[in-house]
C-alpha cells in the first residue's frame, strides 16, 4: 500500500451491463421516439457574494422512521419565510446488490425500514438518568472531546454533500 503498486488483480469473467431501460435512462430524444427541445437557453447560477436567503426547519424523531424533518422553508430577505415542504422522513436506506444479472440489477436491500430505524433508539431521559446514577456529574462529559473530534468533521462533510448534491 505504501509503495502504491498493484500486486495482483483477479478478473474472473466479463460481466455485461444491464439492459438499458428507456423509462429510467436519460438519452437523446431520438432514441426515445421524440425530439429534444432546441429553444432551451443555458442556465447559469452564480452567487459571488453568497446566497441572500437562509434555511429554516425543525427536526424530530419517530420510532418507525427515525429522523424526520418538519416545516422546511427558506427565509428570503424582505419576502419572509417561504415554505418548501411540510414533512420529510428518511425511512429507507437503499443499498444496491450490484449483481448485473436479470432481474437482480433492479433489487435493493432496504436496510433501515425493515426493522424500523427508530425502533431500537432509547429514551434520552432514560439514558441521562442512567449516566447520572452510574458515573455522577462527570459521567456526562466522559469521552466527549474524542467524540467531538471524531464526529464534527464527518458531520460537516455529510451536511455539505447533502446541501450541495
Amino acid at each position: 500500500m505504501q509503495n502504491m503498486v498493484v500486486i495482483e488483480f483477479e478478473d474472473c469473467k466479463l460481466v455485461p451491463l444491464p439492459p438499458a431501460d428507456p423509462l429510467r435512462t436519460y438519452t437523446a430524444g431520438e432514441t426515445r421516439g421524440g425530439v429534444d427541445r432546441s429553444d432551451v437557453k443555458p442556465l447559469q447560477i452564480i452567487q459571488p457574494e453568497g446566497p441572500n436567503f437562509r434555511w429554516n426547519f425543525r427536526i424530530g424523531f419517530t420510532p418507525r422512521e427515525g429522523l424526520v424533518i418538519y416545516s422546511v422553508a427558506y427565509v428570503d430577505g424582505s419576502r419572509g419565510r417561504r415554505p418548501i415542504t411540510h414533512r420529510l422522513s428518511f425511512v429507507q436506506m437503499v443499498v444496491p446488490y450490484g449483481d448485473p444479472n436479470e432481474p437482480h440489477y433492479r433489487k435493493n436491500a432496504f436496510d433501515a425500514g425493515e426493522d424500523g430505524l427508530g425502533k431500537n433508539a432509547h429514551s434520552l431521559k432514560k439514558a441521562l438518568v442512567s449516566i447520572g446514577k452510574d458515573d455522577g456529574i462527570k459521567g456526562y462529559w466522559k469521552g466527549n472531546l474524542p467524540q467531538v473530534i471524531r464526529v464534527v468533521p464527518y458531520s460537516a462533510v455529510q451536511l455539505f454533500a447533502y446541501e450541495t448534491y
Side-chain angles (χ1 to χ4, degrees), residues 6-162:
V6 177
I7 297 172
E8 184 178 351
F9 178 76
E10 289 185 24
D11 191 5
C12 299
K13 65 177 184 174
L14 179 64
V15 179
L17 292 174
D21 186 351
L23 298 176
R24 290 187 172 86
T25 331
Y26 298 102
T27 57
E30 294 81 27
T31 61
R32 295 189 318 266
V35 179
D36 287 335
R37 290 180 56 179
S38 60
D39 60 338
V40 179
K41 296 179 181 162
L43 173 66
Q44 294 181 354
I45 301 173
I46 58 170
Q47 293 180 310
E49 297 176 25
N52 56 350
F53 62 88
R54 62 184 173 84
W55 291 103
N56 181 299
F57 56 90
R58 294 182 305 130
I59 296 176
F61 193 84
T62 68
R64 179 72 183 151
E65 299 165 302
L67 176 66
V68 180
I69 300 177
Y70 298 95
S71 305
V72 178
Y74 65 95
V75 181
D76 187 9
S78 62
R79 298 177 80 175
R81 190 173 184 279
R82 302 179 72 186
I84 295 173
T85 187
H86 175 68
R87 185 176 192 276
L88 299 169
S89 65
F90 303 96
V91 180
Q92 302 289 348
M93 179 178 77
V94 179
V95 181
Y97 280 116
D99 186 350
N101 298 320
E102 180 73 33
H104 301 294
Y105 69 90
R106 289 188 299 245
K107 289 184 179 179
N108 293 304
F110 294 100
D111 293 341
E114 297 289 325
D115 185 38
L117 188 61
K119 244 191 226 182
N120 299 319
H122 298 287
S123 161
L124 179 61
K125 181 180 176 184
K126 185 178 177 182
L128 292 176
V129 169
S130 175
I131 291 170
K133 283 182 182 176
D134 295 344
D135 297 322
I137 193 75
K138 289 182 180 179
Y140 294 112
W141 301 106
K142 189 184 343 181
N144 194 31
L145 183 61
Q147 185 69 4
V148 168
I149 291 171
R150 182 185 73 83
V151 169
V152 168
Y154 172 78
S155 299
V157 169
Q158 290 287 91
L159 180 62
F160 173 77
Y162 282 122

